[in-house]
Amino acid sequence: MPFELTDHTADVGVAATGDGLGDVFAAVADGLAAAMCDDVPPGGDRFDLTVTAESREALLFDYLDELIYERDVRGVLPVDNEATVYEADGEWTVEASARGVPLSDVVARDVKAVTYSEMRLERTDGGWAAYVVFDV
Amino acid sequence: MKTREFDGIRLDRVREFVWEIPKEGEMRVPARVLASESLLEQIGDDLTLTQLKNSTQLPGITRHAICMPDGHQGYGFPVGGVGALDAEDGCISPGAVGYDINCLSGESEVLLSHGRRRQIRNLWADFEDERAVVTSDDGPVDADIRLFTQTKDEVVYEVETETGDVVEATADHPFATPDGMTELRELNEGDTVSLHPFEGLPDAEPPEFVLLDESDFEDEDPQLVQALVDRDLLPLKSTDEAVNRLLKLVAFHTGDGTFSGNQSWFYGDPEDLEAIRDDIEALGFTPSRIYERDREHEIDGHSFERTEYSVRSTAKSFRQLLVRLGAPAGTKVDSEFTAPTYLDRLADWQKALYLSAFFGAEMSAPDAMTGKNFYCPSVSHNRLAVRRDAGEQFMRDLMRHLGDLGVRVNALEEVERTETTAGETVRFRFGLKNDSDNLIRFFTRIGYRYNREKRERAMLATQYLKRKERVIDERARIAEDARALADGGMATADIKQRFDVNDRFIERSIYEGRSGRPRPPADFPNFAEFREMAEVRADLTVDVEIDSIRERGCKTVYDIGVTHDAHNFVANGFVVSNCGVRMMKTNLSYDDLQGREEELVESLFANVPSGLGGGGVVESGVDTVDRILEEGVQWAVDEGWAVEADMEHCEDEGFRPEGDASAVSQKAKDRGKNQIGSLGSGNHFLEVQRVTDVFRDDVGDAYGLEEDQIVVLIHCGSRGLGHQTCNDYLRRIEKRHGDLLDRLPDKELAAAPAGSELADEYYRAMCAAINFAWVNRQLIMHRTRQVFERVFDRDWRDMEMDLLYDVAHNIAKRETHAVDGEDRDLFVHRKGATRAFPAGHPEVPVAYRDVGQPIIIPGSMGAGSYVLRGGEASMDLTFGSTAHGAGRTMSRTQAKQEFWGETVQDELRDQQHVYVKAQSGATVAEEAPGVYKDVDEVVRVSDALGIGDKVARTYPVCNVKG
C-alpha cells in the first residue's frame, strides 16, 4: 500500500509514496479515504476534478481540500483516486478522478480539514514521498 | 530553580503549576505552561512545547504564549493554547512609496516618523524602536515597526516611473495601485502605481545636549516646574522624542499662534489643528477642542466674514515651555526674537521640523506664475522698525538653515516700510530659487507641516516638475543627437524622420543652437491643467505610470512589517472550527431517567444528525446560511428554534455583529447548508449527564445546579463551513504573503500578518462562522428538547430545559486586558481554551455577574465533565482563560489498536451505566476514556491556580457521537 496512517495525538497523519507526483497525490487521497472509512464497498460513480495552484505543496493542499469539499457537497466518499500532476508557465495543475461512494452506503468518520502542519512533499530515490496531517 | 527539559526545550518552574520557557532566539515573549508535573510529562511527550514556542514568534504577541493544563499537539498553535496579540498590531505597509511589506533591495529608503528616511537595510539594529510612515485613509500616520527580515539572493527588479522614481523589489512585492495592492509580477510598463513623493531627510542621531533644565525656570512657580518634570519634559534633551513635537509647535506658533494670559492659541484649518492637538496631547497636555467662530474683517472699506478655527492649551507650563524654546512672548512685531540658537546644534531632520512647521504657517503655497514655471515660494515677515535688526536676523537664520539643508534661496529683500498705529514697520521677504531641482528638493525633503493644503499642493508640484524635467531631459538628448547627426553629414529631413518631435525643434537644435536647456513642448500641460488631471489622495500619494521594469540580478532583500490600527492582526491558524460547548439544565433527576436510558440514547441518535453525510436539523439554501452568518441565534429565535432566554445565556448573546456573510466563500456555504444543526464526528458529541457533585453551593445556586440533576452537554462547532472558511483564508494569506509565512516557523501558524484588508475580511468571516456555530449548537439543543418531550411525554418548559451557558473554546476575540498596568486592546486567541472571566467583569452575563462566568469542561466518556466559574486570577495569569477539556494523550490510530469499540461500549454500559451510541465502533474506540488526560487533574490545576474554580462535576448517562 503506498500510504500509511500514522500516529498523531489529536489528528491523523498520512504518509504516502509514489513513483510520480500524480501517484503520490492519489496515494495521499486514498489515505484520506482510509482515515474516514475502514471498509469501502464497491459501487458509486467516478467524478473528475481539476485543481491549479502556485506550487506543488499548495497544489496538494488545494487538491485534498477540494476532495473534502466534494465529499460534503456531493455526499460521497472519494476513493480509488487517480491523479496526474503537471506544471505549465509556473502554475501547477492536478487532473484527478475518484470513485464517489455514497455516504449512505458507508460507515464513515468526518475528517474536517487538510492542514499544512508538518506537511512534506519531497523527491526520494525511487520517486516521491508526502506527509499530510488531517484535522479530525 | 527547578527545571525540566523535553527534547531540548527547557522549562523553569516559576511556582507550583507554573512553568516558563524563557525567551531566546526568535521568540518575542516567553512561553508558559500551566500544569502539574504529571500533566507536564504528557505535554512534553509530543510537539506541544515546540508549537507553543513557535507561537511566540507571532508579531504582536503579548506577555506570554500560554499552554493550559490540557494542552496537546495541534497544528500551528497547540490545542490548549492562549495567545493574546495586540489588536493594533499588523505587519503591514511601510507605505512610504505605497509599499506594502516585503522584499525591497537594501538601498530602498523607508520614510520614518518626523520626516526622517533611512535605507531599509540599516533598520535592523533598532527597528523595534522606530516608527515608519504608513499611508492610510486618514492620511499618513506613524506606526511601530515590529518585524524585520532579510533574505539573501533574491532576484530583484528595478521599477522606474514616468517621474523618474526608482525602486528595486522582488516579483512578489506588492505595490499600491488604484485597484488595490498588486504584486510586481502582475504589473507592466504603462500600469499605474501610487507614489508618496515626500522623502524626508536622512536619519541621524542628534548630538545629545540639554535644551532646557530646571535652572531655566528658576523664576517660575515650583508647581509649574513639577508639571514639566512629571511629563518627562525637564530636563529636555535634544534626543528626546518630545523635542521633535515641540520644534513644530514652537515654529508654527511663531507663525500662526498667539499667547493670551496662560493660554497658547494656534490658528489653522480644522484638520491641521487636529494634528497640532495630537502633538500637544502626546506631550502630556490637554488641548482644547477645535473652536470655530465667524469673524468680520474689513479691508479697504469692504467687510467680509470668514470662519476662524483655533485650538488652545490652557497649561501655564506649556506656554512657558514654548516661550523658553523661542516662541515670541509678546506682540510679535515688537519682539526681539530670532530663530532659536539651539537649532544649529540639532540634526538636519530636526531643523527641517522647525522650518516646515513655520513654512506651514508663513510660506506661500506652490503656484505657477506662467503656465509652466513656478513662483518662488516666499516668506514675508514684519517687524517694527525699532526691531528691524532682530527681524533681519530671524530671516537670515531661516535662509541659512535652508542652505544647510541643500535648498537655495534668493537674496533677502526689505520690501516696504509702512506707518501703523504701533509705529513704523518693516517688511522683509525672501523666496526659494525656483528652478525645478531646487523646488523638488524643498518639497520632498522639507515642505510644509501642519498645513494639509500646502502639502498636497507641494506633492502635485513635485510630480509636475519631475515630469517636466524628464521631458526636458529627453528633448535635450534629442537636440544633442540631432546636432551630432547633422555634424556627421546626415540630411536634416532624415534627422527629422528619426525623432518624434516637431520639425522646428530639430531645425533650431541643428542651426540656431540654444542657450540653456530646451523648453517643454507646447502640448505639455501647464500646472493648472495638470492639477485638473492629477489627484493627491488623503494619504498624500499620487498616481504615476510605470515607465520600465528591468531585472537587476540577485540581491539581499529586506522586509519590515509595521503596526497600524487600520490593519488588525488576526492569526488564522489558531482559530478553526469555532467549536464550543453548551450545557442545558433540566429539572429531572437521575431517578426520573433510570430505566429510560436505552430509549433516550436511541431516540437522540436517531434525531440529532451526526457523522459524515448525516445532514442537519435544518437543510436549506444558501440564503438561510447567509442569514445565520449575519444574525446568529436571533435567526433561530425568529424561526422558532430558540427562545429569548437562550440568547441571554449565550456568550455574546449568540451574536457577533462583525459577522459578514459576504466574507464567507460560496464553497463554505455550500458545505454548510446541509449541516445546520449537526454534531459531526471525532471528539464532538452530545451527552446526557447527571450532576454528581456540587463543590460551591453559592455558585451552584446561581447556576441552578444541584446533585442528581440531569443536564445535557453539547460539544461541536461550525462544521464544514468553518473549516472551509479557515482553509480559504489560509490559502489566500499564503498567496498574498507567502514569503512572510515562510519566515514563521510553521506555515500553519499562518497568521494573516499582513494585508489589512485580508486580515479584516478574515475577522468578519470568522465572526460569521461563530454565529453559525452558535446556531448549530442551538438547533441541536432545541432538537434535544423535542426528543425529551417525546420520551418523557412532557412539555420541555415543564422540564425547565433551559440553557446554562454556551461558550466557545476555539475562538479569537477582541478584548481589553491590563498588561503591565496599562489597558491594551488585544485579540485573545483561545485555541482549545475557554474564556474564564471572574465575578464582576462587565462581559459576564448579568445573571452570573456576581459569581463569575460559567465554564463547561467536557471530559471523556468514563471520566465525566466539570462546570467551573471564572477565577479571580484568570485576568492576571491567562488573559481570562482556562482549560477546555481533558486533552488527548493517545493517537486515534493507537487507540483503535488498544481498544475495541464494542467492548468499550459494553463495559461502559454494564459497569458504569453509561449508554453510548455512535456511528461506528471505531469512533467509540478512538474516544475511549483511556485516550484522554485525566480531567480531574486538569481541573485541579485550574482550581489551584484560581483561573477557573470548580463548581460542579457531572457524569455521563447517555452519549451520542458521530
Side-chain angles (χ1 to χ4, degrees):
Chain A
M1 193 157 48
F3 72 84
E4 176 179 7
L5 302 185
T6 67
D7 282 354
H8 189 282
T9 318
D11 302 305
V12 164
V14 173
T17 54
D19 291 340
L21 263 181
D23 301 322
V24 76
F25 272 47
V28 177
D30 286 344
L32 165 64
M36 292 189 275
C37 181
D38 299 325
D39 297 304
V40 179
D45 299 325
R46 291 198 75 83
F47 65 93
D48 297 324
L49 63 160
T50 301
V51 181
T52 58
E54 71 277 17
S55 70
R56 283 191 293 260
E57 287 80 8
L59 184 67
L60 180 58
F61 184 96
D62 284 354
Y63 166 55
L64 297 166
D65 187 67
E66 189 71 17
L67 281 173
I68 291 170
Y69 167 77
E70 295 290 346
R71 177 204 69 192
D72 275 4
V73 174
R74 291 174 186 263
V76 298
L77 185 73
V79 302
D80 297 344
N81 292 277
E82 289 172 10
T84 310
V85 174
Y86 59 89
E87 186 257 10
D89 297 331
E91 192 167 71
W92 291 84
T93 301
V94 56
E95 285 178 0
S97 71
R99 177 163 66 88
V101 182
L103 290 175
S104 51
D105 295 350
V106 293
V107 176
R109 293 180 301 287
D110 194 4
V111 165
K112 295 166 184 161
V114 58
T115 81
Y116 263 129
S117 187
E118 302 168 59
M119 183 188 277
R120 284 194 309 276
L121 177 62
E122 53 208 13
R123 209 184 285 274
T124 60
D125 292 341
W128 288 87
Y131 183 69
V132 179
V133 173
F134 291 95
D135 184 5
V136 180
Chain B
M1 186 191 303
K2 188 163 182 174
T3 64
R4 291 296 317 273
E5 193 167 316
F6 299 92
D7 291 332
I9 299 177
R10 194 188 89 220
L11 296 105
D12 299 332
R13 185 176 180 277
V14 179
R15 57 190 167 89
E16 191 175 24
F17 305 139
V18 180
W19 303 83
E20 182 160 309
I21 304 174
K23 181 171 177 290
E24 54 156 46
E26 306 279 308
M27 292 169 73
R28 290 162 185 273
V29 292
R32 282 192 166 187
V33 179
L34 307 180
S36 60
E37 294 207 26
S38 63
L39 288 170
L40 182 61
E41 208 64 48
Q42 292 170 332
I43 289 169
D45 200 33
D46 56 21
L47 289 178
T48 312
L49 295 175
T50 305
Q51 293 184 335
L52 181 69
K53 227 179 127 176
N54 287 346
S55 71
T56 64
Q57 294 187 31
L58 283 165
I61 190 147
T62 302
R63 202 159 64 189
H64 306 113
I66 308 163
C67 176
M68 293 296 139
D70 55 337
H72 62 79
Q73 174 181 349
Y75 27 90
F77 214 58
V79 175
V82 173
L85 307 179
D86 197 303
E88 295 195 349
D89 232 350
C91 311
I92 326 179
S93 283
V97 194
Y99 300 146
D100 202 19
I101 55 160
N102 237 308
C103 293
L104 299 164
S105 72
E107 301 83 43
S108 308
E109 302 267 11
V110 176
L111 185 60
L112 303 174
S113 56
H114 305 306
R116 297 165 300 139
R117 62 182 148 91
R118 209 196 286 182
Q119 290 189 347
I120 190 168
R121 64 173 162 212
N122 295 331
L123 272 169
W124 62 273
D126 60 347
F127 71 92
E128 281 173 316
D129 303 325
E130 273 303 343
R131 289 168 74 73
V133 174
V134 176
T135 57
S136 80
D137 292 345
D138 302 330
V141 294
D142 297 343
D144 292 336
I145 300 178
R146 285 292 166 83
L147 193 88
F148 180 89
T149 63
Q150 170 177 352
T151 316
K152 284 193 177 134
D153 298 332
E154 293 272 344
V155 178
V156 300
Y157 297 83
E158 179 189 270
V159 180
E160 183 166 3
T161 67
E162 59 180 325
T163 47
D165 298 282
V166 173
V167 63
E168 285 183 351
T170 54
D172 56 358
H173 177 82
F175 281 76
T177 75
D179 305 323
M181 300 304 291
T182 308
E183 288 187 6
L184 175 53
R185 73 171 97 249
E186 287 162 24
L187 290 171
N188 295 304
E189 291 169 8
D191 286 350
T192 300
V193 293
S194 306
L195 189 95
H196 188 273
F198 188 81
E199 292 170 6
L201 285 164
D203 185 27
E205 182 81 1
E208 186 175 313
F209 64 94
V210 174
L211 278 152
L212 295 174
D213 61 20
E214 292 191 29
S215 67
D216 294 297
F217 292 84
E218 267 174 345
D219 50 343
E220 294 292 342
D221 181 350
Q223 274 186 344
L224 183 149
V225 174
Q226 194 56 44
L228 294 174
V229 171
D230 288 346
R231 290 174 172 85
D232 277 337
L233 294 168
L234 268 192
L236 184 68
K237 285 193 296 199
S238 55
T239 48
D240 290 345
E241 172 80 6
V243 167
N244 306 324
R245 300 181 195 279
L246 284 164
L247 284 167
K248 290 186 289 175
L249 292 168
V250 167
F252 192 85
H253 194 275
T254 302
D256 278 346
T258 58
F259 292 117
S260 156
N262 289 330
Q263 302 173 358
S264 315
W265 289 85
F266 297 83
Y267 304 91
D269 284 344
E271 61 180 336
D272 301 317
L273 294 176
E274 282 295 349
I276 290 172
R277 285 190 86 241
D278 288 347
D279 279 331
I280 295 175
E281 212 162 8
L283 293 171
F285 299 97
T286 309
S288 70
R289 65 182 175 84
I290 292 167
Y291 300 110
E292 175 181 348
R293 65 169 173 167
D294 293 327
R295 303 201 70 162
E296 259 188 33
H297 289 258
E298 208 181 283
I299 290 183
D300 298 339
H302 301 286
S303 70
F304 62 98
E305 274 201 2
R306 121 191 134 82
T307 309
E308 178 190 86
Y309 299 93
S310 58
V311 71
R312 67 171 177 181
S313 159
T314 55
K316 190 177 177 190
S317 51
F318 179 71
R319 181 207 143 116
Q320 291 304 333
L321 192 59
L322 294 189
V323 170
R324 297 291 192 287
L325 287 171
T331 311
K332 285 179 197 163
V333 289
D334 190 13
S335 167
E336 284 290 333
F337 76 90
T338 62
T341 51
Y342 58 77
L343 278 186
D344 286 300
R345 302 170 66 192
L346 293 175
D348 283 353
W349 57 268
Q350 290 177 309
K351 291 177 195 166
L353 289 174
Y354 180 91
L355 294 175
S356 58
F358 182 74
F359 296 153
E362 293 294 288
M363 185 183 272
S364 59
D367 204 358
M369 60 181 161
T370 59
K372 293 165 192 168
N373 290 313
F374 278 76
Y375 283 115
C376 304
S378 62
V379 176
S380 299
H381 187 72
N382 298 329
R383 290 281 173 110
L384 290 180
V386 292
R387 308 286 185 193
R388 188 198 168 284
D389 291 352
E392 182 179 341
Q393 183 62 45
F394 177 65
M395 292 297 266
R396 291 202 182 281
D397 287 341
L398 299 180
M399 293 162 71
R400 176 168 51 83
H401 290 307
L402 278 169
D404 290 347
L405 300 180
V407 175
R408 289 173 293 111
V409 294
N410 295 317
L412 182 67
E413 301 167 80
E414 197 177 305
V415 208
E416 61 179 6
R417 288 190 175 231
T418 28
E419 205 58 47
T420 68
T421 47
E424 191 191 15
T425 61
V426 187
R427 185 176 179 79
F428 295 101
R429 186 173 67 197
F430 75 84
L432 308 181
K433 290 210 181 284
N434 68 344
D435 59 282
S436 300
D437 281 352
N438 195 52
L439 290 181
I440 291 171
R441 198 174 305 125
F442 174 73
F443 294 146
T444 59
R445 296 180 182 185
I446 303 171
Y448 309 85
R449 285 181 187 271
Y450 292 151
N451 194 317
R452 161 120 220 141
E453 204 183 321
K454 289 180 191 173
R455 289 183 87 177
E456 281 186 9
R457 188 75 78 83
M459 293 304 100
L460 276 181
T462 301
Q463 290 310 98
Y464 178 79
L465 290 169
K466 283 184 191 169
R467 228 173 262 249
K468 185 178 127 186
E469 285 308 300
R470 242 170 109 81
V471 169
I472 291 174
D473 282 349
E474 175 69 10
R475 282 166 78 83
R477 196 180 55 73
I478 290 172
E480 202 177 307
D481 288 354
R483 244 191 330 270
L485 290 172
D487 289 348
M490 189 183 276
T492 309
D494 292 339
I495 298 174
K496 286 176 183 170
Q497 283 289 316
R498 287 178 79 106
F499 299 105
D500 187 21
V501 290
N502 71 40
D503 293 350
R504 176 71 192 129
F505 180 81
I506 298 290
E507 285 162 17
R508 282 190 59 194
S509 303
I510 296 173
Y511 303 123
E512 298 166 23
R514 181 182 279 117
S515 61
R517 284 156 58 78
R519 276 199 278 270
D523 60 355
F524 190 80
N526 63 36
F527 185 56
E529 288 161 348
F530 179 77
R531 278 172 58 195
E532 292 293 310
M533 306 180 323
E535 183 201 356
V536 182
R537 290 196 200 80
D539 57 7
L540 294 180
T541 59
V542 292
D543 284 346
V544 287
E545 274 183 24
I546 294 178
D547 205 53
S548 67
I549 302 175
R550 284 186 293 268
E551 194 179 318
R552 304 292 289 181
C554 284
K555 292 193 178 183
T556 300
V557 296
Y558 302 81
D559 297 351
I560 60 171
V562 304
T563 68
H564 177 242
D565 59 6
H567 309 307
N568 295 322
F569 182 100
V570 178
N572 182 327
F574 283 87
V575 181
V576 183
S577 67
N578 326 112
C579 71
V581 54
R582 64 166 56 195
M583 184 175 275
M584 175 169 61
K585 299 177 281 186
T586 74
N587 61 10
L588 304 176
S589 69
Y590 187 40
D591 282 349
D592 298 329
L593 202 72
Q594 275 176 302
R596 317 284 282 270
E597 297 100 331
E598 203 93 51
E599 183 190 352
L600 186 60
V601 80
E602 292 292 342
S603 186
L604 285 168
F605 186 77
N607 285 287
V608 175
S610 70
L612 197 51
V617 172
V618 170
E619 292 183 24
S620 175
V622 164
D623 49 339
T624 300
V625 175
D626 282 346
R627 280 192 59 199
I628 293 170
L629 291 170
E630 299 206 342
E631 296 170 22
V633 178
Q634 182 64 53
W635 172 86
V637 173
D638 292 348
E639 298 295 317
W641 290 103
V643 293
E644 293 282 341
D646 294 337
M647 277 172 46
E648 288 159 21
H649 291 88
C650 195
E651 183 180 15
D652 294 335
E653 297 178 336
F655 174 56
R656 280 280 184 95
E658 301 94 335
D660 178 0
S662 71
V664 174
S665 74
Q666 186 65 36
K667 273 175 90 172
K669 291 172 189 172
D670 284 342
R671 283 180 73 177
K673 67 185 181 192
N674 299 323
Q675 300 179 338
I676 311 169
S678 65
L679 274 176
S681 63
N683 60 339
H684 290 163
F685 62 85
L686 180 154
E687 206 162 71
V688 179
Q689 306 174 326
R690 62 191 162 99
V691 178
T692 53
D693 306 270
V694 174
F695 305 102
R696 282 180 166 81
D697 286 339
D698 58 333
V699 187
D701 280 352
Y703 289 176
L705 295 175
E706 56 187 27
E707 282 173 20
D708 247 17
Q709 179 187 3
I710 293 296
V711 297
V712 178
L713 186 149
I714 295 159
H715 177 202
C716 62
S718 53
R719 308 280 286 107
L721 179 140
H723 284 280
Q724 191 68 49
T725 301
C726 173
N727 275 357
D728 289 346
Y729 279 91
L730 179 69
R731 290 286 288 123
R732 285 177 63 189
I733 290 163
E734 185 192 4
K735 284 180 189 165
R736 180 78 177 69
H737 303 290
D739 51 343
L740 181 80
L741 296 199
D742 287 347
R743 285 172 202 126
L744 285 172
D746 184 343
K747 211 181 217 174
E748 196 77 23
L749 270 178
S756 57
E757 297 144 59
L758 200 48
D760 179 58
E761 198 184 333
Y762 173 62
Y763 189 66
R764 286 183 280 123
M766 186 193 68
C767 288
I770 290 166
N771 285 338
F772 188 89
W774 277 318
V775 169
N776 190 35
R777 291 193 284 273
Q778 175 67 37
L779 292 191
I780 293 169
M781 182 177 86
H782 205 70
R783 178 55 65 85
T784 303
R785 286 169 173 162
Q786 294 168 334
V787 169
F788 270 66
E789 283 186 329
R790 265 171 260 157
V791 171
F792 295 96
D793 198 23
R794 289 171 65 189
D795 189 278
W796 68 264
R797 291 170 194 83
D798 290 345
M799 291 182 279
E800 296 176 30
M801 300 181 75
D802 301 324
L803 179 61
L804 168 66
Y805 200 55
D806 180 312
V807 62
H809 54 226
N810 214 333
I811 204 163
K813 183 133 198 246
R814 197 168 180 155
E815 295 172 358
T816 304
H817 288 266
V819 178
D820 301 329
E822 185 191 340
D823 276 350
R824 296 267 300 273
D825 196 13
L826 301 171
F827 273 113
V828 180
H829 293 72
R830 300 188 179 92
K831 165 139 184 173
T834 316
R835 193 161 85 166
F837 283 176
H841 193 288
E843 285 189 49
V844 176
V846 177
Y848 307 129
R849 193 151 317 152
D850 291 343
V851 292
Q853 171 217 310
I855 299 150
I856 301 145
I857 307 268
S860 56
M861 287 181 287
S865 304
Y866 280 88
V867 178
L868 315 184
R869 61 103 175 249
E872 287 299 326
S874 71
M875 300 312 279
D876 287 339
L877 270 183
T878 56
F879 299 102
S881 317
T882 188
H884 85 302
R888 293 188 74 91
T889 60
M890 191 189 289
S891 73
R892 289 168 209 274
T893 38
Q894 194 189 344
K896 276 192 285 185
Q897 289 156 16
E898 305 253 335
F899 302 102
W900 184 247
E902 274 151 41
T903 314
V904 173
Q905 218 163 344
D906 290 348
E907 279 175 10
L908 281 167
R909 186 187 60 230
D910 299 341
Q911 294 165 19
Q912 324 236 20
H913 309 293
V914 179
Y915 293 77
V916 178
K917 178 84 184 171
Q919 290 283 355
S920 78
T923 307
V924 179
E926 286 175 12
E927 300 294 318
V931 309
Y932 280 96
K933 291 199 170 77
D934 181 354
V935 72
D936 294 336
E937 180 76 353
V938 170
V939 168
R940 188 171 77 86
V941 172
S942 170
D943 191 84
L945 285 169
I947 54 177
D949 309 326
K950 62 182 184 177
V951 175
R953 187 169 192 262
T954 61
Y955 194 76
V957 181
C958 302
N959 180 300
V960 175
K961 284 185 182 304

